[in-house]
Amino acid sequence: MDYYTHIQKEDPDIYGFIEGEEKRQIEGLELIPSENYVSLAVREAMASTLTNKYSEGYPGKRYYGGQEFTDKVELLAIERAKQLFGAKYANVQPLGGANANIALYMALMEPGDTILGMDLSHGGHLTHGHPVTYISKIFNFVRYKMKNIETGEIDYDALRETAKKEKPKVILAGFSAYPRELEWQKIADIAKEVGAYAVADVAHIAGLIAGGAQKNPFDYGFDVMTTTTHKTLRGPRGGMIVTRENEEVAKKIDKAVFPGLQGGPHMHQIAAKAISFREALQPSFKTYAAKVVQNASAMAEVFKAGGVRMITGGTSNHLILADVFGSLGISGQDAEKILDEAGITLNKNTIADDVRKPMDPSGIRFGTPAMTTRGFGVEESKQVAELMLDVLQKRDAATVSKAREAVKALAASHPIPESFV
Ligand code: DSN
């Protein structure tokens, strides 16, 4: 907390809240699979004077003057994004993952057009057309599911039949709670057969793809990828859209992001994205991405040995979805709460075809991106999984307090690193 001297002086209330949150992050274990710790370099860019600047438009074509440096920042972010994913075009302006997805829909569809997306309860995301979203009223979202919840196999035959019947403009492949790798080739082939764009929402796995720990959908013919930049990719909170090679598509996406959806881009955030992309291009990021996956597998092994049912039977990526209600008789909400007391943060989550409600579902979702940034390896990951199981099985004050001490010790011996390069 040496960085916030001005906030401390000018606004002690906010300073206190930041201090509390920082302590929580340092002393606890962050297992929410969509969270991570960014480097100080990324944080400095987020706090830089670039936040003062309006830059509507794109490099070389702005609506306001004074863009000598902002143009350079954005061009460098674009170049690095292209390099990371093997893309010909990149738009680094989306303010978040939802904006990236909405801009994508606006770019490739007209109101009323059909898009196929993964069902939320089977691992998809709200922005993939859940009825509570505004965007679901504009486009016709049709959902597909897993065929086998115990293995995670997607029902590709049903997807193909639905695609032939519904004639979608876009087939969207991606997830926020699916622990396996999708068969990109099968989905790309179906899209080609019905004349749809193949789009991957890789928000959760962008860092694993960039680090070579998971396959790149572009290698299987996908046209576009949307993503956030703050999950496994370990950048600032934000979004991005990369296009493999179709210039016409890339132009439509640019127009949809601005002026279609957003106003002035957040240049401080784009500078921070550029810094994180540089970090992700280093050889050390490959090691990081591989470890994220190894650590998640190690945790899944412990849960399996403890008799806990995991949706899809385990994990091949960074996250695990466990049916704690079915296996241990504790609801997802209660599990989240008691683990929070032990200093382990994760989230309750619905499981496929859950019989319980979203605010008190059967499952918990957890993962290893943040822990791995702290330097946790397989042994420590197993230790954390064992602590979790102990707490979830016994659920008494003594076990929680013992786990909390163990968590503090693990956290203290693996401090959050300041620099990743
Ligand atoms: N909230 C993100 C997640 O946790 O997966 C997705 O938007």
Side-chain angles (χ1 to χ4, degrees), residues 94 96-109 115 125-129 133-136 138-139 141 172 201 226 241 252-253 256-257 260-262:
N99 302 47
N101 281 346
I102 295 166
L104 183 278
Y105 306 149
M106 288 168 51
L108 300 184
M109 297 192 290
I115 169 168
H125 188 251
L126 278 176
T127 60
H128 296 179
T133 60
Y134 185 69
I135 208 76
S136 71
I138 298 175
F139 302 108
F141 284 89
L172 182 63
D201 176 347
T226 62
I241 307 175
K252 284 183 183 170
I253 288 169
V257 173
L261 180 67
Q262 295 184 172

Side-chain angles (χ1 to χ4, degrees), residues 32 34 125 176 204 231 365:
I32 294 175
S34 48
H125 188 251
S176 61
H204 262 261
K231 298 186 174 90
R365 185 189 69 153

